Amino acid sequence: MSVFEASVSLDGADQDRLFKWGVVLDGPQGTNFWGIPTEVHDANSADRYRQFRLKGGGAGPQVERYYFTYLRRLGANKQLGPGWVSPGLHFAIWAPNARNVEVVFGDPATGYIANDGTGVDPNQPVVALSHLADGTWVGDPDGDYELFKSLPYMYRIVNAQGQTVYRTDIFSAARLGVATSILAGSRGAAP
């Protein structure tokens, strides 16, 4: 695993200024190619830059964190929080242009959820996800991780055009029918 870190000193006179930055890479795929694989929060743009606003008046340095991989950040992940007796389940999906995102579970016998919602198991909870400022939607169903192990699920998304669509979890390691399935052990306990 590669880790890159950069420290940049900025002038306090630039307080409240918006800074945009990117990464250009050279590698086996070629030279000078765009190295940030995610999009900006504009459905009509193909730009790949990151940005931040310089804040002023803080007691310490301003720290900005950016992730170049979403392994263990997105998808269905087992998590164990401080003081928890047993692990829970955490969902996260990056959908910056979505209007709403929920997790729905399918019938374990078929794993199939149709585009019209047929196949959603009414006996399982619908997990409403909350929208974060970085375009990620997150949420946790009530209950231990073990209650959800091997259940098929999909993301029910109201997209930017107002249409309800069902999408699989591209970060899942298992597929069952059309839906994805929560594996025994998922990808380990991730923070």
Side-chain angles (χ1 to χ4, degrees):
M1 176 172 77
S2 297
V3 176
F4 300 93
E5 184 175 313
S7 296
V8 178
S9 296
L10 301 171
D11 191 331
D14 288 327
Q15 180 178 334
D16 293 325
R17 182 172 170 210
L18 184 66
F19 288 86
K20 296 178 181 178
W21 63 274
V23 176
V24 176
L25 301 173
D26 293 338
Q29 295 88 1
T31 59
N32 295 320
F33 64 92
W34 195 242
I36 298 178
T38 58
E39 301 171 3
V40 297
H41 301 271
D42 180 352
N44 300 312
S45 175
D47 288 340
R48 300 286 190 257
Y49 61 81
R50 297 296 184 132
Q51 64 185 23
F52 68 93
R53 185 166 305 280
L54 183 60
K55 301 170 194 153
Q62 179 173 329
V63 176
E64 300 287 328
R65 295 189 194 286
Y66 302 90
Y67 299 91
F68 293 102
T69 179
Y70 290 109
L71 180 65
R72 295 190 186 234
R73 271 193 79 229
L74 297 182
N77 286 288
K78 184 188 277 188
Q79 70 176 5
L80 187 60
W84 292 15
V85 175
S86 60
L89 179 60
H90 178 74
F91 288 100
I93 180 174
W94 189 73
N97 301 311
R99 294 183 184 176
N100 190 55
V101 181
E102 299 171 316
V103 176
V104 293
F105 295 93
D107 179 353
T110 64
Y112 183 77
I113 300 173
N115 286 334
D116 65 0
T118 303
V120 173
D121 187 345
N123 298 316
Q124 294 295 332
V126 172
V127 182
L129 303 185
S130 299
H131 189 228
L132 302 180
D134 70 353
T136 304
W137 293 76
V138 298
D140 309 322
D142 290 332
D144 292 346
Y145 175 81
E146 294 296 320
L147 295 173
F148 300 98
K149 189 166 47 175
S150 300
L151 289 181
Y153 68 94
M154 292 185 84
Y155 293 106
R156 180 167 53 199
I157 300 171
V158 177
N159 65 20
Q161 294 74 35
Q163 301 166 324
T164 299
V165 295
Y166 291 82
R167 296 293 183 255
T168 59
D169 184 349
I170 63 171
F171 293 95
S172 174
R175 302 278 187 259
L176 176 67
V178 176
T180 49
S181 178
I182 298 166
L183 288 176
S186 196
R187 288 188 295 260

